[in-house]
Amino acid sequence: MDINWFDADYLPWLILFFPLLSFLIIVLFTSRSRILSHIVALSGIVIAWVLSMIEFVKVVWASDVELGREVFGSSIDWLTLGTTTFRVGVLVDPLTAYMLLMVPLTCLLIFIYSLGYMRDDPHNTRFFAFISLFAGAMLTLVLADNLLMLFVGWEVMGLCSYLLIGFWFHKKSAMQAGVKAFMTTRVADVLMLVGIGYLFIEAGTLNFRDILYNEEMLHRLSDPELSPAVLFGGSVAAVVGILLVIGTIGKSSQFPLHVWLPDAMEGPTPVSAMIHAATMVSAGVYMLVRMFPLLSAGADFHHGDFSAPMVMMGLVGGFTALFAAVLAVGQNDIKRILAYSTVSQLGYMVAALGIGAWVAAAFHLINHAFFKALLFMASGVVIHSMEHGEHHAHQHGHPHEEVPEPDGLVMDYVAPPNDVRRMGGLLDRIPVTAITMAIGGLSLAGFPLITAGFWSKDEIIAEAWHGTGEGFPLALFVLVMLVLAALLTAFYTARMWFLTFWGAPRSAAARYAGLGSLRNRWANSRWGKARGLASEPVHREDEVAARQMEFPLIVLAFFAIFAGFIGVHTDFPLLGALDNPLHEFLSGTLLEHPPVFDLDGLPILLSVVIALGGLGLGWWVYGRRPLAEGAVDPTERALGAGVWRALQNRFYIDLLYRRYLVQPAEWFATHIVIQAIDKETIDGVLETIAETFIWLGEAFKRFNTVVIDGVGDGIPRAIGDFAGWFRQVQTGRIQQYLLFVTLGLLAIGTLFLLQVR
């Protein structure tokens, strides 16, 4: 049949196809050529981004389609299950179109950044193959029209996270982190798969439109009398919803399965940006947003009647948001600060879904992706600069600071280039990174009015405020948790930025830090010379790599400011002309449009006070009087050595898991499974069977030798012996023959005589 691939129904196939094709081409054909692999990887993601923008424009300007009630997409037959044929395909509704704005663009910027960041890595081509597969898997998940195809993309991303977190496999910590991430997320994924299977059994389909846009189906699945669950006496929707939420707890690193994400920082920084912004952890929240009609089925959450999955999301998300923010305060690794920040922000989104703030959660998901990608890539530039500074400090006579990597579970270990305590003064060395990271940090902290993070956080807090005013206990819990988390977020963001960029350098590496020749050009400028900055010769390749790393930061800084204005509330006094187009656009994904609450002054004032209060406290502690080299961190001094040690060691939760889950599992595997079951039982039985059959074989062998071979060989041997003896009669002597004849005649005659008598 003739297919117009630029038609809005078929274009999504091409969007997910090209990154996957790039992966195959690099692996099979161009892995020995760095330049060709770069071209292939960039071509795949650029084409995916261009096609995504075309699809988005088609969605927005589709005048003949009421998107939501009607959608774009197509499907094909995949499996024949008796009388049923399972179909897979692509789907573009308002939520999908919204994700297509973020995922391909963020991936493209990360690809460009990786060109500079991974320039000198010997396994460069393998890296670009893996991130191409990563991007393709996320696009598969976003564009899937059914839960099983979404789960395929979900699991491929799990594989990619394992491959990329442990990309520097020669490092023991990286290898262990990759395994930890893979195994932790698999725990949740197994239960999620059970939920998917159970849903298919009860609904007879996994297609999103057939389930989520079908009021009769949702009513049947949520009614315990029509569809009683096999467990806990609830409804099918409740049990399936809880299992899907558990899947997100693992994938989006929510408590208590949050432990893998901080260790994932052992991978290259572009991987951290991919995991925390464009793919992986965003996938968990996206799945909850997509499945929200099922998760909330049977509940009237507008009036305080929350379903079991919603209660679970509210409690887990709210607690995770505050818990991770507390841990972020006590980290010295710049990437781990951002990692716990991601865990906290994902908790925001999950908690928002728990109180029914569906649009707010989706809004914050996209905003967070932009400013968190910016922050992680900026942190990569900082780390590169510190490594560059360490190299040049050594050239100027300063010894290398050798900190051996620990062998074992040492959670407070910080690699020297990542340690914010050794930084300081980098504003002079990498000003573009400092400014863009400040913009991303302000958006993360929710700086009022001018940052995207403010509007999406404010949306969630406003929903929680409204629920609290209606007397909903869950909304009150979420509000308290998120307000405290927001205050700590602003504080640790300010702490991270001031320790990194403000004041005087606190190490030789910081004094010589810089980003290739861009830093040198800055140092050679009039302003740089006036600041007394050291300079090095300019190298063209370094300058290109530096620009490849800084260009995405500038683009993302733009989105960290302006992406929030598409979701501004109506009737806000200073921005009354903005009518919150995002809410109206996304609402078409649901059967009924969620209400828009007019913001009163108190939630706005609360958000402003939280952001400015946390940032102001950070400035008072770290900006007003910058930390000196060798000085004790003021927060450490305020909290005390014991609390600070507990924060750096993540409240010893990893140690508890190690001691009470991992070690018992290892003991059980070693002593029970391997020794008792495998070696002593299974091997013992098999060895006994083997010995028995060996004995039987020997018995049959002897029987064969003595009886069968004895009889079979004995008779011919006896005949042969008799023949040998008998042939002696034939001597050839006439006299002997006459003697025998005479004897015979005498014998015969004797017999006759005896008979006559």
Side-chain angles (χ1 to χ4, degrees):
M1 62 179 178
D2 295 331
I3 294 178
N4 177 12
W5 288 107
F6 285 95
D7 185 272
D9 288 323
Y10 302 105
L11 199 57
W13 289 109
L14 296 181
I15 295 173
L16 63 89
F17 171 75
F18 280 101
L20 299 176
L21 179 63
S22 296
F23 163 74
L24 293 175
I25 292 175
I26 294 173
V27 169
L28 298 177
F29 302 109
T30 68
S31 59
R32 295 184 180 275
S33 173
R34 177 176 299 191
I35 294 177
L36 287 178
S37 296
H38 290 176
I39 293 173
V40 170
L42 281 174
S43 298
I45 195 63
V46 166
I47 293 172
W49 173 64
V50 171
L51 296 179
S52 297
M53 294 303 98
I54 294 174
E55 182 73 9
F56 181 78
V57 171
K58 287 178 175 286
V59 168
V60 173
W61 295 102
S63 59
D64 58 337
V65 175
E66 186 183 351
L67 198 65
R69 296 190 179 277
E70 300 180 27
V71 295
F72 296 122
S74 67
S75 61
I76 58 175
D77 292 347
W78 184 27
L79 296 173
T80 299
L81 306 173
T83 59
T84 304
T85 300
F86 191 86
R87 298 176 64 86
V88 295
V90 291
L91 166 73
V92 177
D93 62 1
L95 178 60
T96 307
Y98 187 47
M99 291 295 289
L100 288 178
L101 274 178
M102 180 272 288
V103 174
L105 175 60
T106 310
C107 288
L108 172 59
L109 294 173
I110 293 171
F111 276 52
I112 295 172
Y113 175 87
S114 301
L115 294 174
Y117 192 92
M118 301 296 292
R119 183 184 57 144
D120 298 323
D121 194 281
H123 304 292
N124 188 284
T125 58
R126 179 163 61 89
F127 176 84
F128 276 91
F130 288 165
I131 62 171
S132 295
L133 180 61
F134 214 163
M138 182 63 183
L139 289 171
T140 299
L141 180 147
V142 168
L143 291 165
D145 73 343
N146 67 90
L147 196 53
L148 183 59
M149 187 174 172
L150 179 148
F151 189 72
V152 170
W154 182 284
E155 289 302 298
V156 174
M157 281 197 294
L159 170 64
C160 292
S161 69
Y162 165 74
L163 296 172
L164 287 167
I165 293 170
F167 182 78
W168 289 324
F169 53 85
H170 54 277
K171 290 174 57 180
K172 184 177 181 180
S173 58
M175 178 270 294
Q176 291 176 332
V179 173
K180 184 177 183 179
F182 188 80
M183 296 304 297
T184 304
T185 52
R186 293 292 77 70
V187 171
D189 290 356
V190 168
L191 295 176
M192 178 180 172
L193 184 59
V194 172
I196 293 173
Y198 187 32
L199 179 62
F200 181 71
I201 291 172
E202 294 293 334
T205 180
L206 293 175
N207 185 276
F208 294 137
R209 298 290 294 179
D210 293 343
I211 297 175
L212 307 179
Y213 220 78
N214 186 333
E215 188 172 358
E216 181 181 351
M217 174 75 75
L218 291 173
H219 174 69
R220 181 173 65 83
L221 293 175
S222 62
D223 192 331
E225 295 183 358
L226 297 177
S227 298
V230 295
L231 296 174
F232 312 121
S235 66
V236 170
V239 173
V240 171
I242 289 174
L243 293 173
L244 294 180
V245 171
I246 292 173
T248 291
I249 289 174
K251 184 69 75 177
S252 293
S253 192
Q254 299 292 283
F255 183 87
L257 298 181
H258 65 284
V259 293
W260 69 269
L261 194 56
D263 289 339
M265 301 304 97
E266 291 293 335
T269 298
V271 175
S272 302
M274 285 284 283
I275 290 175
H276 289 257
T279 60
M280 195 67 178
V281 297
S282 298
V285 176
Y286 167 76
M287 187 271 291
L288 293 184
V289 173
R290 168 63 69 191
M291 300 300 296
F292 183 75
L294 180 67
L295 302 177
S296 60
D300 184 13
F301 55 87
H302 297 304
H303 297 91
D305 180 16
F306 299 101
S307 65
M310 293 181 70
V311 173
M312 185 177 184
M313 289 188 291
L315 296 177
V316 171
F319 178 79
T320 302
L322 180 58
F323 176 77
V326 171
L327 286 174
V329 171
Q331 303 302 309
N332 294 317
D333 187 315
I334 188 170
K335 289 174 67 177
R336 283 206 176 96
I337 295 172
L338 295 175
Y340 278 113
S341 170
T342 298
V343 176
S344 180
Q345 296 304 303
L346 293 168
Y348 263 86
M349 304 170 207
V350 174
L353 288 165
I355 58 174
W358 182 88
V359 175
F363 186 25
H364 196 52
L365 173 65
I366 301 300
N367 285 349
H368 174 264
F370 286 128
F371 64 69
K372 190 51 63 71
L374 165 59
L375 288 169
F376 266 108
M377 289 193 277
S379 73
V381 175
V382 170
I383 293 169
H384 252 334
S385 301
M386 291 293 291
E387 291 171 343
H388 180 273
E390 182 74 23
H391 173 71
H392 286 286
H394 179 66
Q395 290 182 338
H396 287 81
H398 297 275
H400 279 298
E401 182 177 351
E402 298 291 342
V403 180
E405 185 179 346
D407 184 15
L409 190 67
V410 181
M411 292 171 287
D412 60 348
Y413 169 77
V414 183
N418 299 28
D419 196 338
V420 294
R421 296 169 298 184
R422 300 179 67 250
M423 298 176 187
L426 297 187
L427 176 60
D428 293 340
R429 275 76 183 169
I430 44 175
V432 173
T433 302
I435 294 170
T436 53
M437 196 169 190
I439 293 172
L442 290 174
S443 190
L444 170 62
F447 189 82
L449 303 180
I450 63 171
T451 64
F454 169 78
W455 294 111
S456 53
K457 273 189 179 181
D458 179 74
E459 183 93 10
I460 296 173
I461 291 175
E463 295 268 6
W465 181 277
H466 173 79
T468 302
E470 295 292 324
F472 306 156
L474 182 62
L476 175 61
F477 172 80
V478 169
L479 178 65
V480 173
M481 293 292 105
L482 298 193
V483 165
L484 294 175
L487 180 65
L488 291 176
T489 299
F491 173 73
Y492 69 66
T493 301
R495 173 181 179 267
M496 176 187 67
W497 193 90
F498 284 118
L499 286 178
T500 302
F501 298 104
W502 205 243
R506 291 185 294 276
S507 65
R511 282 189 286 274
Y512 288 93
L515 184 59
S517 59
L518 285 186
R519 182 263 188 190
N520 301 326
R521 289 183 184 276
W522 181 257
N524 290 328
S525 68
R526 179 184 303 177
W527 190 89
K529 290 178 179 178
R531 303 280 291 179
L533 303 182
S535 64
E536 303 292 339
V538 175
H539 300 288
R540 174 63 180 169
E541 291 184 356
D542 288 341
E543 183 173 357
V544 171
R547 293 190 183 279
Q548 288 168 342
M549 294 170 67
E550 290 192 333
F551 168 74
L553 304 185
I554 297 170
V555 175
L556 288 168
F558 173 84
F559 284 97
I561 294 175
F562 294 105
F565 289 100
I566 62 173
V568 176
H569 282 271
T570 54
D571 298 332
F572 184 63
L574 299 180
L575 296 168
L578 299 176
D579 58 354
N580 198 350
L582 178 65
H583 189 282
E584 184 64 27
F585 179 71
L586 286 180
S587 295
T589 308
L590 304 177
L591 275 168
E592 59 175 347
H593 288 203
V596 180
F597 301 111
D598 293 333
L599 291 184
D600 57 33
L602 289 178
I604 288 284
L605 179 62
L606 180 62
S607 298
V608 171
V609 170
I610 291 169
L612 296 182
L615 291 171
L617 180 61
W619 176 83
W620 181 265
V621 176
Y622 294 97
R624 182 177 60 95
R625 196 173 289 173
L627 186 68
E629 184 174 357
V632 178
D633 189 305
T635 305
E636 178 181 357
R637 188 168 54 247
L639 295 177
V643 175
W644 185 255
R645 182 79 173 173
L647 287 175
Q648 291 196 304
N649 285 278
R650 315 173 196 179
F651 291 130
Y652 302 99
I653 292 176
D654 294 68
L655 186 62
L656 292 175
Y657 284 175
R658 177 75 182 166
R659 179 172 298 173
Y660 296 110
L661 292 178
V662 177
Q663 288 181 348
E666 289 177 346
W667 182 91
F668 182 81
T670 302
H671 294 86
I672 305 300
V673 176
I674 296 177
Q675 188 64 37
I677 297 177
D678 188 19
K679 291 186 176 181
E680 296 181 4
T681 304
I682 298 176
D683 289 355
V685 170
L686 294 177
E687 289 172 1
T688 301
I689 294 173
E691 291 175 358
T692 301
F693 278 95
I694 289 173
W695 180 86
L696 288 174
E698 290 293 334
F700 279 118
K701 179 181 177 181
R702 293 185 179 183
F703 178 79
N704 182 68
T705 302
V706 175
V707 179
I708 298 177
D709 289 352
V711 174
D713 295 342
I715 293 174
R717 187 179 297 113
I719 294 173
D721 293 343
F722 175 76
W725 171 82
F726 190 69
R727 72 183 175 193
Q728 295 178 3
V729 177
Q730 305 294 328
T731 62
R733 297 176 181 177
I734 300 300
Q735 298 89 340
Q736 186 178 7
Y737 295 163
L738 291 174
L739 176 61
F740 288 156
V741 170
T742 301
L743 291 175
L745 291 173
L746 288 173
I748 293 171
T750 301
L751 289 174
F752 276 113
L753 288 175
L754 291 174
Q755 289 179 358
V756 171
R757 289 182 180 180

